[in-house]
Amino acid sequence: MVGVDASETGALALEWAIQEARRWPAVVDVVTAWTFPMTKSYAITHSVDEVEEAARKVVEAAMSRVIEEAPDVVVRGETADGEAGPVLVDAARGADLLVVGSRRAGTFERVFLGSVGAYCGRHASCSVMIVR
């Protein structure tokens, strides 16, 4: 299972999951989480339907990439309303591996994980690969 968003590290996590799925018989479950409002300024200019649609487009693009790069790999997609960490941990129940990107920014970027990666590492019932 791979958690994706529209970030560069989300794309790197997807690429890592695709490469891994090519090596083993695997299903790639592509999951993204969304919340509303994401920020107050975003809520002013976007509706809940627009936020949910943007999340669907992220998943569709990721699924298309899997199909293009690994046509023999089975791919499924899901969007869920909620905070990313809990959504990904819940979706990964029964999975062999959860792949997420780490986009922690700041001075200690190489030392600390991002909050989603840290949450998944602590709470997932499967192995977690955090791609930097």
Side-chain angles (χ1 to χ4, degrees):
M1 198 204 101
V2 59
V4 297
D5 58 16
S7 71
E8 182 181 332
T9 56
L12 292 171
L14 178 62
E15 182 60 33
W16 196 93
I18 292 168
Q19 296 305 319
E20 195 66 12
R22 285 179 171 164
R23 296 177 48 196
W24 311 98
V27 173
V28 175
D29 288 306
V30 177
V31 178
T32 196
W34 61 274
T35 58
F36 186 83
M38 293 169 33
T39 65
K40 287 184 180 185
S41 63
Y42 193 86
I44 291 170
T45 58
H46 296 81
S47 70
V48 66
D49 292 335
E50 290 171 317
V51 173
E52 186 175 14
E53 179 61 22
R56 272 196 293 273
K57 287 180 179 180
V58 166
V59 168
E60 289 170 4
M63 291 175 62
S64 293
R65 185 168 167 197
V66 174
I67 291 165
E68 181 180 309
E69 294 184 25
D72 295 334
V73 172
V74 175
V75 62
R76 301 181 295 217
E78 174 186 348
T79 64
D81 180 5
E83 296 296 324
V87 163
L88 295 174
V89 165
D90 185 54
R93 284 194 175 87
D96 294 322
L97 179 67
L98 169 58
V99 182
V100 295
S102 176
R103 60 180 187 178
R104 174 80 179 192
T107 306
F108 300 104
E109 162 177 344
R110 295 183 185 268
V111 178
F112 298 108
L113 296 175
S115 59
V116 173
Y119 184 93
C120 293
R122 284 191 311 271
H123 298 285
S125 58
C126 61
S127 297
V128 178
M129 174 63 184
I130 300 172
V131 180
R132 293 180 178 244

